[in-house]
Amino acid sequence: MITLSVIKADIGGYVGHSSSHPDILAKAEEDLAKAQREGLLIDFHVTRCGDDLQLIMTHELGENNTRIHQLAWDTFVAGTELARQLGLYGAGQDLLADAFSGNVKAMGPGVAEMMFEQRTSEPVVIFMADKTSSGAWNMPLYKMFADPFNTIGLVIAPNMHEGFSFEVHDIKDSKKVMFSTPEEIYDMLVFIGAPSRYVVKSVRHRTTGNIGAVSSTQKLALIAGRYVGKDDPVCIVRCQGEFPAVGEVLEPFSHPNLVEGWMRGSHYGPLMPVALRDSNPSRFDGPPRVIAAGFQISKGKLVGPRDMFDDPGFDEARRQANIAGEYMRRHGPFEPHRLPLDEMEYTTMPGVMKKLQGRFTNLD
Ligand code: 13P
Ligand code: 13P
Ligand code: MG
Ligand code: MG
């Protein structure tokens, strides 16, 4: 069994929240190379999406392993030190704890990990987003694993026809629930159609039980109790065979669906699929971006990445995202561009409310 761990954090933006400084990536690369030499990692790949540093690692220690989480935490802490020296924006932004305590999960970084028996050929796509929240993968995961208009394999591939099971988390109440598709899709959509609260954590094959997808569900605002930056989640998807084909896994992103995030994490905007080099959200700190790194995993080695959205086939999605983004922007500070009131609780809203409290009088 091998474990694929993707652990990410924003430890400082360059310039503002738009991108990452190359020295930060080089430093993380150095730290993980050392861990690989020491035998902790089989392989690794360091990348970034916008201002978020992404540590992609393979190893044999399973999920939630303290040594792997410590390695990620230490890499973020060392990177933060460098980010401070460079005066990067929001250095250490996502490190919400003072010291490591066994698992980075509740400490700010985003985590997606899966342990599996590697197949002879193991194609995997790792999606990474900037300027959006966990929950952004709900619609794409639904389309990949439960929508035959997206994934024809659900109809014509005998090893997919039985469907998939979805683990959904209620991130406000810390509860989870399982749904079997296709027969429970109407029940499931009641929940996952509300991605600010109900988040698809993982998807498994119904009959083999094999893991197909895992997402990061950390909610920074819930951990910190205030707005400190957006979650900027990641999602790992295994492809082919009993899982959707690579093209079926990428297909949902041909529709730039509206997600939470963008400027100050407080707006709805379209999720634009881009090549890694274009993951520098600048216009109004956006629009939200998603990149897709494809790997073939071979004996635990990460053969890749291929930059999967670096394809003119996604040009139309990018154009539509710009059109939708422009349309949303013209609403300025008004909903539904701005997030609804309950999401504003983590911003200046409570302060303004308090200041004006005495000025509210009863209606006649
Ligand atoms: P300031 O810290 O400059 O107000 O930045 C706001 C912001 O970008 C929110 O993350
Ligand atoms: P990040 O979560 O990517 O740091 O963005 C924060 C923000 O407020 C952008 O306007
Ligand atoms: Mg940032
Ligand atoms: Mg970010």
Side-chain angles (χ1 to χ4, degrees), residues 17 89 227 264:
H17 294 283
Y89 195 73
Y227 177 70
R264 294 169 191 272

Coordinates of all heavy atoms in Angstrom, one line a residue, residues 17 89 227 264, ligand 1:
H17 N -1.8 38.8 -2.5 CA -2.2 37.4 -2.5 C -2.2 36.7 -3.9 O -2.8 35.6 -4.1 CB -3.7 37.3 -2.0 CG -3.9 37.7 -0.5 ND1 -3.5 36.9 0.5 CD2 -4.4 38.8 0.0 CE1 -3.9 37.6 1.7 NE2 -4.4 38.7 1.3
Y89 N 3.6 38.9 1.5 CA 2.3 39.3 2.1 C 1.6 38.2 2.9 O 1.4 37.1 2.4 CB 1.4 39.9 1.1 CG 0.3 40.7 1.8 CD1 0.6 41.9 2.4 CD2 -0.9 40.1 2.0 CE1 -0.3 42.5 3.1 CE2 -1.9 40.7 2.8 CZ -1.6 42.0 3.3 OH -2.5 42.6 4.1
Y227 N -12.1 35.8 9.7 CA -11.6 35.6 8.4 C -10.0 35.8 8.4 O -9.6 36.9 8.8 CB -12.2 36.6 7.4 CG -11.6 36.5 6.0 CD1 -11.9 35.4 5.3 CD2 -10.7 37.4 5.5 CE1 -11.3 35.2 4.0 CE2 -10.2 37.3 4.3 CZ -10.5 36.2 3.5 OH -9.9 36.0 2.3
R264 N -11.1 39.1 -0.7 CA -11.4 39.0 0.7 C -12.2 37.8 1.1 O -12.9 37.8 2.1 CB -12.0 40.3 1.3 CG -11.0 41.5 1.1 CD -11.6 42.8 1.4 NE -10.6 43.9 0.9 CZ -9.7 44.4 1.7 NH1 -9.5 44.0 3.0 NH2 -8.8 45.3 1.2
Ligands
13P1 P1 -5.1 43.8 4.4 O1 -4.4 42.9 5.5 O2 -4.2 44.6 3.6 O3 -6.3 44.5 4.9 O4 -5.6 42.6 3.4 C1 -6.9 42.2 3.2 C2 -6.9 41.0 2.5 O5 -6.3 40.8 1.5 C3 -7.6 39.9 3.1 O6 -6.9 38.7 3.2

